[in-house]
Amino acid sequence: MIFTRNPELGKCKTRLAATIGDQAALEVYQLLLDHTVTITKSLSVTKEVYYSTKVGENDIWNPTTYNKRLQQGEDLGARMCSAFRNGFNAGYTNIIVIGSDMYDLNQLDIENAFKALKNHDYVIGPAEDGGYYLFGLKSLNSKVFQNKSWGTNTVLKDTLNDIQQTNIKLLEERNDVDYYEDIKDISVFQHLLSYQND
């Protein structure tokens, strides 16, 4: 499952936009979405895109490759819980969710996460900011999606507290893109960063 925000000016990557402006932030996010398509389209698993506000048509997510759904719930936790519940109710037994702002992620990372999930109850990709960029489950545990301050540096710690005494696979720590500092040294984004001086 891929959680994504609809790419709308002024509504995505707002923390990044505070530094480089709304238009550049939108273009950065569109690059990240393109990257997410590149690293997921060839995975030999069922793929679902969960949109934040409305299901997109004629966009980069090819409907023959990706099932398209709308996120349901008041906060990120409720939305992820609902998506996992849908997946398990549909009969899937190994489900992984990723975001769409990980330039640091590749197809092999996701394949390895699925392999790890076969022998572990949970697979988690810790993000440098204290959250996670990947979360995998074999069965629904709604507790892990409740009582979290989403978007803060306590999410990973609080999640791990919820699943003590279980078989957890922690992946390599990676950096998601939220701030200017997250992309200032990555060459593919350089042409967009000149906007801040305009």
Side-chain angles (χ1 to χ4, degrees), residues 33-69:
L33 290 174
D34 288 341
H35 175 73
T36 307
V37 169
T38 300
I39 65 173
T40 57
K41 64 184 178 185
S42 301
L43 290 168
S44 55
V45 295
T46 303
K47 295 171 281 288
E48 298 193 334
V49 178
Y50 275 83
Y51 293 82
S52 58
T53 55
K54 62 178 185 287
V55 173
E57 298 178 17
N58 303 316
D59 58 8
I60 62 172
W61 306 101
N62 185 328
T64 62
T65 304
Y66 300 92
N67 299 325
K68 298 185 176 191
R69 300 188 183 280

mmCIF file of all heavy atoms in Angstrom, residues 33-69:
data_model
loop_
_atom_site.group_PDB
_atom_site.id
_atom_site.type_symbol
_atom_site.label_atom_id
_atom_site.label_comp_id
_atom_site.label_asym_id
_atom_site.label_seq_id
_atom_site.Cartn_x
_atom_site.Cartn_y
_atom_site.Cartn_z
ATOM 1 N N LEU A 33 6.885 11.436 -6.128
ATOM 2 C CA LEU A 33 5.839 10.528 -6.604
ATOM 3 C C LEU A 33 6.342 9.711 -7.787
ATOM 4 O O LEU A 33 6.116 8.493 -7.853
ATOM 5 C CB LEU A 33 4.590 11.318 -7.008
ATOM 6 C CG LEU A 33 3.792 11.972 -5.877
ATOM 7 C CD1 LEU A 33 2.671 12.839 -6.463
ATOM 8 C CD2 LEU A 33 3.210 10.931 -4.934
ATOM 9 N N ASP A 34 7.030 10.358 -8.731
ATOM 10 C CA ASP A 34 7.598 9.642 -9.883
ATOM 11 C C ASP A 34 8.558 8.556 -9.407
ATOM 12 O O ASP A 34 8.562 7.434 -9.928
ATOM 13 C CB ASP A 34 8.336 10.610 -10.815
ATOM 14 C CG ASP A 34 7.388 11.525 -11.586
ATOM 15 O OD1 ASP A 34 6.191 11.191 -11.687
ATOM 16 O OD2 ASP A 34 7.849 12.578 -12.072
ATOM 17 N N HIS A 35 9.381 8.898 -8.411
ATOM 18 C CA HIS A 35 10.328 7.927 -7.865
ATOM 19 C C HIS A 35 9.582 6.751 -7.244
ATOM 20 O O HIS A 35 9.969 5.584 -7.413
ATOM 21 C CB HIS A 35 11.233 8.600 -6.825
ATOM 22 C CG HIS A 35 12.163 7.644 -6.137
ATOM 23 N ND1 HIS A 35 13.263 7.097 -6.776
ATOM 24 C CD2 HIS A 35 12.141 7.120 -4.882
ATOM 25 C CE1 HIS A 35 13.889 6.283 -5.937
ATOM 26 N NE2 HIS A 35 13.226 6.279 -4.781
ATOM 27 N N THR A 36 8.482 7.037 -6.537
ATOM 28 C CA THR A 36 7.710 5.978 -5.887
ATOM 29 C C THR A 36 7.102 5.040 -6.924
ATOM 30 O O THR A 36 7.087 3.816 -6.733
ATOM 31 C CB THR A 36 6.611 6.584 -4.989
ATOM 32 O OG1 THR A 36 7.214 7.537 -4.093
ATOM 33 C CG2 THR A 36 5.928 5.515 -4.166
ATOM 34 N N VAL A 37 6.638 5.575 -8.050
ATOM 35 C CA VAL A 37 6.147 4.727 -9.137
ATOM 36 C C VAL A 37 7.287 3.838 -9.652
ATOM 37 O O VAL A 37 7.123 2.621 -9.815
ATOM 38 C CB VAL A 37 5.572 5.576 -10.290
ATOM 39 C CG1 VAL A 37 5.306 4.712 -11.521
ATOM 40 C CG2 VAL A 37 4.294 6.272 -9.856
ATOM 41 N N THR A 38 8.451 4.430 -9.863
ATOM 42 C CA THR A 38 9.595 3.694 -10.399
ATOM 43 C C THR A 38 9.975 2.504 -9.522
ATOM 44 O O THR A 38 10.274 1.418 -10.018
ATOM 45 C CB THR A 38 10.815 4.639 -10.546
ATOM 46 O OG1 THR A 38 10.467 5.695 -11.446
ATOM 47 C CG2 THR A 38 12.028 3.909 -11.072
ATOM 48 N N ILE A 39 9.940 2.696 -8.201
ATOM 49 C CA ILE A 39 10.412 1.628 -7.306
ATOM 50 C C ILE A 39 9.314 0.622 -6.943
ATOM 51 O O ILE A 39 9.603 -0.393 -6.308
ATOM 52 C CB ILE A 39 11.032 2.193 -6.002
ATOM 53 C CG1 ILE A 39 9.983 2.925 -5.147
ATOM 54 C CG2 ILE A 39 12.221 3.091 -6.327
ATOM 55 C CD1 ILE A 39 10.497 3.355 -3.778
ATOM 56 N N THR A 40 8.061 0.892 -7.347
ATOM 57 C CA THR A 40 6.982 -0.033 -6.985
ATOM 58 C C THR A 40 6.322 -0.718 -8.173
ATOM 59 O O THR A 40 5.746 -1.798 -8.013
ATOM 60 C CB THR A 40 5.871 0.691 -6.189
ATOM 61 O OG1 THR A 40 5.350 1.792 -6.959
ATOM 62 C CG2 THR A 40 6.412 1.201 -4.853
ATOM 63 N N LYS A 41 6.399 -0.138 -9.366
ATOM 64 C CA LYS A 41 5.585 -0.652 -10.481
ATOM 65 C C LYS A 41 5.937 -2.084 -10.868
ATOM 66 O O LYS A 41 5.080 -2.821 -11.365
ATOM 67 C CB LYS A 41 5.688 0.280 -11.696
ATOM 68 C CG LYS A 41 7.087 0.382 -12.300
ATOM 69 C CD LYS A 41 7.133 1.388 -13.429
ATOM 70 C CE LYS A 41 8.540 1.515 -13.984
ATOM 71 N NZ LYS A 41 8.622 2.572 -15.010
ATOM 72 N N SER A 42 7.195 -2.504 -10.626
ATOM 73 C CA SER A 42 7.602 -3.849 -11.029
ATOM 74 C C SER A 42 7.568 -4.867 -9.895
ATOM 75 O O SER A 42 7.943 -6.020 -10.081
ATOM 76 C CB SER A 42 9.023 -3.809 -11.621
ATOM 77 O OG SER A 42 9.057 -2.952 -12.741
ATOM 78 N N LEU A 43 7.130 -4.451 -8.716
ATOM 79 C CA LEU A 43 7.015 -5.394 -7.602
ATOM 80 C C LEU A 43 5.964 -6.445 -7.932
ATOM 81 O O LEU A 43 4.894 -6.118 -8.434
ATOM 82 C CB LEU A 43 6.589 -4.663 -6.320
ATOM 83 C CG LEU A 43 7.615 -3.734 -5.666
ATOM 84 C CD1 LEU A 43 6.929 -2.890 -4.596
ATOM 85 C CD2 LEU A 43 8.771 -4.525 -5.064
ATOM 86 N N SER A 44 6.272 -7.709 -7.638
ATOM 87 C CA SER A 44 5.334 -8.789 -7.977
ATOM 88 C C SER A 44 4.363 -9.033 -6.821
ATOM 89 O O SER A 44 4.235 -10.138 -6.293
ATOM 90 C CB SER A 44 6.094 -10.069 -8.310
ATOM 91 O OG SER A 44 6.956 -10.416 -7.243
ATOM 92 N N VAL A 45 3.706 -7.962 -6.389
ATOM 93 C CA VAL A 45 2.684 -8.018 -5.341
ATOM 94 C C VAL A 45 1.511 -7.149 -5.804
ATOM 95 O O VAL A 45 1.645 -6.349 -6.734
ATOM 96 C CB VAL A 45 3.217 -7.472 -3.987
ATOM 97 C CG1 VAL A 45 4.341 -8.352 -3.447
ATOM 98 C CG2 VAL A 45 3.675 -6.020 -4.110
ATOM 99 N N THR A 46 0.370 -7.318 -5.163
ATOM 100 C CA THR A 46 -0.752 -6.415 -5.421
ATOM 101 C C THR A 46 -0.386 -5.031 -4.891
ATOM 102 O O THR A 46 0.142 -4.907 -3.788
ATOM 103 C CB THR A 46 -2.017 -6.918 -4.706
ATOM 104 O OG1 THR A 46 -2.293 -8.246 -5.158
ATOM 105 C CG2 THR A 46 -3.210 -6.021 -5.003
ATOM 106 N N LYS A 47 -0.651 -4.022 -5.698
ATOM 107 C CA LYS A 47 -0.264 -2.658 -5.310
ATOM 108 C C LYS A 47 -1.511 -1.770 -5.244
ATOM 109 O O LYS A 47 -2.317 -1.768 -6.169
ATOM 110 C CB LYS A 47 0.736 -2.098 -6.320
ATOM 111 C CG LYS A 47 2.064 -2.869 -6.310
ATOM 112 C CD LYS A 47 2.975 -2.466 -7.440
ATOM 113 C CE LYS A 47 2.604 -3.109 -8.762
ATOM 114 N NZ LYS A 47 2.924 -4.549 -8.823
ATOM 115 N N GLU A 48 -1.616 -1.026 -4.141
ATOM 116 C CA GLU A 48 -2.738 -0.121 -3.975
ATOM 117 C C GLU A 48 -2.222 1.258 -3.600
ATOM 118 O O GLU A 48 -1.339 1.385 -2.762
ATOM 119 C CB GLU A 48 -3.690 -0.632 -2.884
ATOM 120 C CG GLU A 48 -4.292 -1.976 -3.239
ATOM 121 C CD GLU A 48 -5.450 -2.366 -2.348
ATOM 122 O OE1 GLU A 48 -5.490 -1.900 -1.195
ATOM 123 O OE2 GLU A 48 -6.307 -3.143 -2.815
ATOM 124 N N VAL A 49 -2.780 2.275 -4.232
ATOM 125 C CA VAL A 49 -2.464 3.665 -3.908
ATOM 126 C C VAL A 49 -3.639 4.230 -3.123
ATOM 127 O O VAL A 49 -4.783 4.160 -3.571
ATOM 128 C CB VAL A 49 -2.238 4.508 -5.178
ATOM 129 C CG1 VAL A 49 -1.965 5.959 -4.813
ATOM 130 C CG2 VAL A 49 -1.085 3.945 -5.988
ATOM 131 N N TYR A 50 -3.327 4.775 -1.958
ATOM 132 C CA TYR A 50 -4.351 5.408 -1.123
ATOM 133 C C TYR A 50 -4.164 6.922 -1.193
ATOM 134 O O TYR A 50 -3.175 7.457 -0.697
ATOM 135 C CB TYR A 50 -4.240 4.917 0.321
ATOM 136 C CG TYR A 50 -4.963 3.617 0.571
ATOM 137 C CD1 TYR A 50 -4.374 2.396 0.265
ATOM 138 C CD2 TYR A 50 -6.246 3.613 1.115
ATOM 139 C CE1 TYR A 50 -5.050 1.196 0.497
ATOM 140 C CE2 TYR A 50 -6.931 2.428 1.350
ATOM 141 C CZ TYR A 50 -6.327 1.220 1.032
ATOM 142 O OH TYR A 50 -6.993 0.045 1.269
ATOM 143 N N TYR A 51 -5.112 7.597 -1.831
ATOM 144 C CA TYR A 51 -5.061 9.052 -2.003
ATOM 145 C C TYR A 51 -5.593 9.766 -0.757
ATOM 146 O O TYR A 51 -6.473 9.248 -0.077
ATOM 147 C CB TYR A 51 -5.911 9.475 -3.187
ATOM 148 C CG TYR A 51 -5.430 9.028 -4.547
ATOM 149 C CD1 TYR A 51 -5.703 7.752 -5.007
ATOM 150 C CD2 TYR A 51 -4.728 9.897 -5.373
ATOM 151 C CE1 TYR A 51 -5.279 7.341 -6.268
ATOM 152 C CE2 TYR A 51 -4.312 9.507 -6.629
ATOM 153 C CZ TYR A 51 -4.582 8.220 -7.080
ATOM 154 O OH TYR A 51 -4.165 7.823 -8.330
ATOM 155 N N SER A 52 -5.105 10.980 -0.533
ATOM 156 C CA SER A 52 -5.494 11.730 0.666
ATOM 157 C C SER A 52 -6.867 12.389 0.540
ATOM 158 O O SER A 52 -7.639 12.411 1.500
ATOM 159 C CB SER A 52 -4.445 12.804 0.981
ATOM 160 O OG SER A 52 -4.282 13.689 -0.120
ATOM 161 N N THR A 53 -7.185 12.947 -0.625
ATOM 162 C CA THR A 53 -8.434 13.719 -0.737
ATOM 163 C C THR A 53 -9.385 13.192 -1.801
ATOM 164 O O THR A 53 -10.587 13.177 -1.609
ATOM 165 C CB THR A 53 -8.151 15.206 -1.032
ATOM 166 O OG1 THR A 53 -7.327 15.302 -2.203
ATOM 167 C CG2 THR A 53 -7.442 15.861 0.140
ATOM 168 N N LYS A 54 -8.874 12.775 -2.941
ATOM 169 C CA LYS A 54 -9.742 12.186 -3.961
ATOM 170 C C LYS A 54 -8.911 11.261 -4.841
ATOM 171 O O LYS A 54 -7.717 11.476 -5.033
ATOM 172 C CB LYS A 54 -10.416 13.266 -4.815
ATOM 173 C CG LYS A 54 -9.465 14.146 -5.622
ATOM 174 C CD LYS A 54 -10.260 15.140 -6.467
ATOM 175 C CE LYS A 54 -9.364 15.958 -7.385
ATOM 176 N NZ LYS A 54 -8.576 16.971 -6.683
ATOM 177 N N VAL A 55 -9.569 10.232 -5.362
ATOM 178 C CA VAL A 55 -8.884 9.269 -6.216
ATOM 179 C C VAL A 55 -8.568 9.930 -7.551
ATOM 180 O O VAL A 55 -9.459 10.507 -8.202
ATOM 181 C CB VAL A 55 -9.748 8.007 -6.418
ATOM 182 C CG1 VAL A 55 -9.120 7.078 -7.447
ATOM 183 C CG2 VAL A 55 -9.933 7.285 -5.085
ATOM 184 N N GLY A 56 -7.312 9.879 -7.927
ATOM 185 C CA GLY A 56 -6.882 10.539 -9.160
ATOM 186 C C GLY A 56 -7.212 9.737 -10.412
ATOM 187 O O GLY A 56 -7.212 8.507 -10.386
ATOM 188 N N GLU A 57 -7.481 10.436 -11.490
ATOM 189 C CA GLU A 57 -7.703 9.812 -12.788
ATOM 190 C C GLU A 57 -6.669 10.361 -13.760
ATOM 191 O O GLU A 57 -6.240 11.497 -13.656
ATOM 192 C CB GLU A 57 -9.120 10.105 -13.298
ATOM 193 C CG GLU A 57 -10.213 9.534 -12.392
ATOM 194 C CD GLU A 57 -11.606 9.888 -12.891
ATOM 195 O OE1 GLU A 57 -11.726 10.287 -14.066
ATOM 196 O OE2 GLU A 57 -12.548 9.777 -12.102
ATOM 197 N N ASN A 58 -6.282 9.535 -14.701
ATOM 198 C CA ASN A 58 -5.302 9.946 -15.717
ATOM 199 C C ASN A 58 -4.060 10.565 -15.079
ATOM 200 O O ASN A 58 -3.567 11.599 -15.531
ATOM 201 C CB ASN A 58 -5.934 10.947 -16.697
ATOM 202 C CG ASN A 58 -7.171 10.376 -17.355
ATOM 203 O OD1 ASN A 58 -7.171 9.225 -17.784
ATOM 204 N ND2 ASN A 58 -8.238 11.157 -17.422
ATOM 205 N N ASP A 59 -3.567 9.926 -14.016
ATOM 206 C CA ASP A 59 -2.366 10.430 -13.360
ATOM 207 C C ASP A 59 -1.229 9.411 -13.523
ATOM 208 O O ASP A 59 -1.324 8.500 -14.363
ATOM 209 C CB ASP A 59 -2.638 10.751 -11.883
ATOM 210 C CG ASP A 59 -3.139 9.544 -11.091
ATOM 211 O OD1 ASP A 59 -3.139 8.416 -11.628
ATOM 212 O OD2 ASP A 59 -3.520 9.730 -9.919
ATOM 213 N N ILE A 60 -0.182 9.540 -12.743
ATOM 214 C CA ILE A 60 1.000 8.684 -12.924
ATOM 215 C C ILE A 60 0.770 7.257 -12.443
ATOM 216 O O ILE A 60 1.558 6.366 -12.756
ATOM 217 C CB ILE A 60 2.235 9.275 -12.206
ATOM 218 C CG1 ILE A 60 2.000 9.360 -10.692
ATOM 219 C CG2 ILE A 60 2.598 10.625 -12.784
ATOM 220 C CD1 ILE A 60 3.243 9.745 -9.906
ATOM 221 N N TRP A 61 -0.322 7.029 -11.689
ATOM 222 C CA TRP A 61 -0.596 5.690 -11.156
ATOM 223 C C TRP A 61 -1.467 4.934 -12.168
ATOM 224 O O TRP A 61 -2.663 5.145 -12.233
ATOM 225 C CB TRP A 61 -1.287 5.789 -9.797
ATOM 226 C CG TRP A 61 -0.521 6.636 -8.821
ATOM 227 C CD1 TRP A 61 -0.782 7.930 -8.478
ATOM 228 C CD2 TRP A 61 0.638 6.258 -8.060
ATOM 229 N NE1 TRP A 61 0.133 8.365 -7.550
ATOM 230 C CE2 TRP A 61 1.013 7.365 -7.279
ATOM 231 C CE3 TRP A 61 1.386 5.072 -7.962
ATOM 232 C CZ2 TRP A 61 2.109 7.339 -6.418
ATOM 233 C CZ3 TRP A 61 2.478 5.038 -7.106
ATOM 234 C CH2 TRP A 61 2.835 6.159 -6.340
ATOM 235 N N ASN A 62 -0.854 4.067 -12.947
ATOM 236 C CA ASN A 62 -1.539 3.332 -14.004
ATOM 237 C C ASN A 62 -2.551 2.355 -13.379
ATOM 238 O O ASN A 62 -2.165 1.491 -12.587
ATOM 239 C CB ASN A 62 -0.510 2.555 -14.825
ATOM 240 C CG ASN A 62 -1.115 1.859 -16.016
ATOM 241 O OD1 ASN A 62 -2.267 1.432 -15.995
ATOM 242 N ND2 ASN A 62 -0.333 1.729 -17.070
ATOM 243 N N PRO A 63 -3.836 2.491 -13.711
ATOM 244 C CA PRO A 63 -4.850 1.647 -13.069
ATOM 245 C C PRO A 63 -4.710 0.157 -13.386
ATOM 246 O O PRO A 63 -5.307 -0.677 -12.702
ATOM 247 C CB PRO A 63 -6.174 2.210 -13.589
ATOM 248 C CG PRO A 63 -5.829 2.961 -14.825
ATOM 249 C CD PRO A 63 -4.427 3.457 -14.654
ATOM 250 N N THR A 64 -3.940 -0.202 -14.404
ATOM 251 C CA THR A 64 -3.711 -1.629 -14.655
ATOM 252 C C THR A 64 -2.639 -2.184 -13.719
ATOM 253 O O THR A 64 -2.520 -3.394 -13.556
ATOM 254 C CB THR A 64 -3.274 -1.877 -16.119
ATOM 255 O OG1 THR A 64 -2.037 -1.197 -16.365
ATOM 256 C CG2 THR A 64 -4.326 -1.373 -17.086
ATOM 257 N N THR A 65 -1.879 -1.297 -13.078
ATOM 258 C CA THR A 65 -0.825 -1.710 -12.149
ATOM 259 C C THR A 65 -1.226 -1.476 -10.698
ATOM 260 O O THR A 65 -0.878 -2.262 -9.809
ATOM 261 C CB THR A 65 0.475 -0.914 -12.436
ATOM 262 O OG1 THR A 65 0.828 -1.096 -13.808
ATOM 263 C CG2 THR A 65 1.627 -1.365 -11.553
ATOM 264 N N TYR A 66 -1.952 -0.402 -10.461
ATOM 265 C CA TYR A 66 -2.295 0.007 -9.088
ATOM 266 C C TYR A 66 -3.814 0.055 -8.900
ATOM 267 O O TYR A 66 -4.522 0.670 -9.705
ATOM 268 C CB TYR A 66 -1.746 1.409 -8.792
ATOM 269 C CG TYR A 66 -0.245 1.523 -8.911
ATOM 270 C CD1 TYR A 66 0.351 1.911 -10.107
ATOM 271 C CD2 TYR A 66 0.577 1.255 -7.816
ATOM 272 C CE1 TYR A 66 1.727 2.015 -10.222
ATOM 273 C CE2 TYR A 66 1.959 1.349 -7.918
ATOM 274 C CZ TYR A 66 2.533 1.732 -9.124
ATOM 275 O OH TYR A 66 3.894 1.835 -9.233
ATOM 276 N N ASN A 67 -4.288 -0.578 -7.832
ATOM 277 C CA ASN A 67 -5.664 -0.351 -7.389
ATOM 278 C C ASN A 67 -5.702 1.013 -6.704
ATOM 279 O O ASN A 67 -4.794 1.346 -5.942
ATOM 280 C CB ASN A 67 -6.109 -1.427 -6.408
ATOM 281 C CG ASN A 67 -6.081 -2.815 -7.031
ATOM 282 O OD1 ASN A 67 -6.360 -2.968 -8.215
ATOM 283 N ND2 ASN A 67 -5.730 -3.810 -6.240
ATOM 284 N N LYS A 68 -6.739 1.781 -6.959
ATOM 285 C CA LYS A 68 -6.807 3.142 -6.410
ATOM 286 C C LYS A 68 -7.899 3.233 -5.349
ATOM 287 O O LYS A 68 -9.039 2.811 -5.591
ATOM 288 C CB LYS A 68 -7.073 4.146 -7.534
ATOM 289 C CG LYS A 68 -5.968 4.173 -8.593
ATOM 290 C CD LYS A 68 -6.212 5.255 -9.621
ATOM 291 C CE LYS A 68 -5.069 5.341 -10.617
ATOM 292 N NZ LYS A 68 -5.164 6.547 -11.451
ATOM 293 N N ARG A 69 -7.525 3.775 -4.212
ATOM 294 C CA ARG A 69 -8.469 3.875 -3.097
ATOM 295 C C ARG A 69 -8.314 5.240 -2.430
ATOM 296 O O ARG A 69 -7.326 5.937 -2.642
ATOM 297 C CB ARG A 69 -8.210 2.768 -2.080
ATOM 298 C CG ARG A 69 -8.357 1.356 -2.660
ATOM 299 C CD ARG A 69 -8.273 0.309 -1.586
ATOM 300 N NE ARG A 69 -8.351 -1.038 -2.117
ATOM 301 C CZ ARG A 69 -9.462 -1.663 -2.458
ATOM 302 N NH1 ARG A 69 -10.626 -1.039 -2.341
ATOM 303 N NH2 ARG A 69 -9.447 -2.893 -2.911
#
